[in-house]
Amino acid sequence: MIFFDRVSKVYPDDSVALSDITITIEPKEFVSIVGPSGAGKTTLLKMLLAEEYPTEGEVFYESKNVHDLSKKDLNELRRKIGMVFQDFRLIPGKTVYENIAFTMEAAGRSDAEIEQDVPHVLELVDLASKVWNFPHELSGGEKQRVAIARALVNQPDVLVADEPTGNLDPVNTYDIVQILKKINDFGTTVILTTHNKGIIDSLGKRVIAMDKGKVVRDDKEGKYFI
Ligand code: ADP
């Protein structure tokens, strides 16, 4: 379980990014976080990964305060939370296979595991045919599917997708959302930030709406109407 307990964040330049946020996210939930630019969505995600420290309040992952973890436990936490970004963040000089293998090597996985799991995870995102291509040979939608495969290959408990469809056309956006739903159906918690009203309305899942650092709405089967 993820628990934000009265979390506030004021950056050194006095920007108030989060203001007294209390939310709970249960295992296997699919949660969308919406809100205008500057609402605090990215800061919230950074807090979960302990990339930023709260000014007040505490953030818990499975009952442990993420800001009190040892370096080893923090690395472990970050392996449990797969990340996907709007700009894909693939390594340009590596093939699709190598991009995914690299993440597995960093997690200490064996060559045999890598050879077995990379094709498997590419099947999951329907991209097995592109295993030897480089990122510049892929469409935006395909790049994002590689990024999702990479985020999943170490079997995280949670997948965090920060505006994953921000650079994609409607058809690719639809495909990415279907993949996220499938991943969630398999039991992975999904946390999605998006500006895309269509996605939220079609998902029919929990929506947390933020504005100016505050949660202004938290609906179990929300629609986007901020
Ligand atoms: P969102 O992801 O919803 O666009 P952010 O979390 O990026 O929102 O930003 C929330 C607020 O915090 C904004 O006012 C932004 O300018 C400010 N902010 C974000 N990161 C920093 C930073 N590193 N230093 C100072 N202010 C920041």
Side-chain angles (χ1 to χ4, degrees):
M1 187 174 89
I2 295 165
F3 178 38
F4 281 72
D5 187 15
R6 309 204 65 173
V7 175
S8 295
K9 173 68 180 177
V10 183
Y11 283 106
D13 65 356
D14 291 338
S15 302
V16 178
L18 300 176
S19 179
D20 199 20
I21 298 279
T22 296
I23 48 176
T24 303
I25 299 176
E26 301 287 349
K28 305 185 185 191
E29 267 199 277
F30 192 128
V31 184
S32 302
I33 301 176
V34 302
S37 185
K41 306 181 294 295
T42 304
T43 302
L44 191 79
L45 300 181
K46 285 183 174 170
M47 244 359 124
L48 174 61
L49 292 155
E51 289 175 5
E52 290 288 354
Y53 275 77
T55 316
E56 279 181 64
E58 292 171 323
V59 181
F60 296 91
Y61 184 83
E62 289 173 351
S63 308
K64 289 191 189 138
N65 185 330
V66 301
H67 296 96
D68 284 347
L69 296 176
S70 65
K71 201 165 165 29
K72 179 170 162 287
D73 288 346
L74 185 56
N75 284 338
E76 182 63 21
L77 169 83
R78 289 175 179 165
R79 265 203 283 281
K80 286 184 186 170
I81 303 177
M83 290 289 298
V84 175
F85 304 94
Q86 177 171 354
D87 56 1
F88 320 126
R89 303 196 189 175
L90 301 177
I91 304 169
K94 291 188 187 289
T95 62
V96 166
Y97 185 97
E98 290 164 346
N99 263 279
I100 299 170
F102 185 70
T103 302
M104 295 183 73
E105 283 160 15
R109 310 273 301 275
S110 71
D111 287 351
E113 283 177 300
I114 292 173
E115 278 165 32
Q116 181 182 309
D117 289 0
V118 173
H120 178 72
V121 80
L122 283 171
E123 291 279 347
L124 186 74
V125 298
D126 202 14
L127 211 60
S129 62
K130 302 285 182 181
V131 63
W132 302 117
N133 287 85
F134 287 90
H136 74 266
E137 297 169 329
L138 305 178
S139 71
E142 289 169 340
K143 282 184 206 161
Q144 196 56 295
R145 282 191 269 157
V146 176
I148 292 173
R150 181 181 57 180
L152 287 178
V153 78
N154 290 326
Q155 298 171 341
D157 298 334
V158 181
L159 182 72
V160 173
D162 193 6
E163 287 280 353
T165 61
N167 286 332
L168 303 181
D169 63 28
V171 172
N172 281 303
T173 294
Y174 178 83
D175 288 346
I176 294 295
V177 172
Q178 294 312 306
I179 290 169
L180 295 178
K181 277 172 82 168
K182 182 162 79 173
I183 291 162
N184 180 243
D185 287 341
F186 287 154
T188 306
T189 308
V190 176
I191 304 175
L192 165 73
T193 71
T194 182
H195 282 102
N196 189 316
K197 180 181 180 308
I199 292 181
I200 302 298
D201 290 349
S202 73
L203 276 170
K205 305 267 192 191
R206 180 178 175 195
V207 178
I208 296 173
M210 295 182 66
D211 194 19
K212 300 190 181 83
K214 290 193 159 68
V215 171
V216 292
R217 211 157 48 82
D218 186 349
D219 280 354
K220 271 270 168 274
E221 292 173 18
K223 296 263 181 208
Y224 188 123
F225 54 75
I226 191 166

